[in-house]
Amino acid sequence: MSKNPFGIKTGGGIVKKIVGVVIVLAALALVVKHPHDAAGMVNTAKDNGGGIIDSVTQFFRDLGRG
């Protein structure tokens, strides 16, 4: 019997772990050194994400009408 009953891969290569750590450290450095810019990036991503969701919702509503 396996140790992981769901078959989810829990391990990863050392390169993946190093890349993950580098990304987290870069994000942390951005927040610490430039908090205003980091907040602007988050707000822009949030606004664009909301616009995408609204567009997809409108698309499916229009499909239902036809």
Side-chain angles (χ1 to χ4, degrees):
M1 221 175 179
S2 68
K3 293 181 181 179
N4 188 348
F6 300 109
I8 298 172
K9 184 178 178 183
T10 57
I14 189 75
V15 175
K16 286 184 181 180
K17 291 179 183 178
I18 290 173
V19 169
V21 169
V22 168
I23 290 172
V24 168
L25 290 176
L28 184 62
L30 178 68
V31 170
V32 170
K33 289 187 174 189
H34 307 285
H36 183 70
D37 294 336
M41 288 180 201
V42 170
N43 285 334
T44 300
K46 181 186 71 162
D47 293 342
N48 289 339
I52 292 170
I53 292 171
D54 291 341
S55 297
V56 171
T57 303
Q58 187 62 41
F59 173 75
F60 284 114
R61 285 182 182 165
D62 290 345
L63 279 179
R65 291 182 191 162

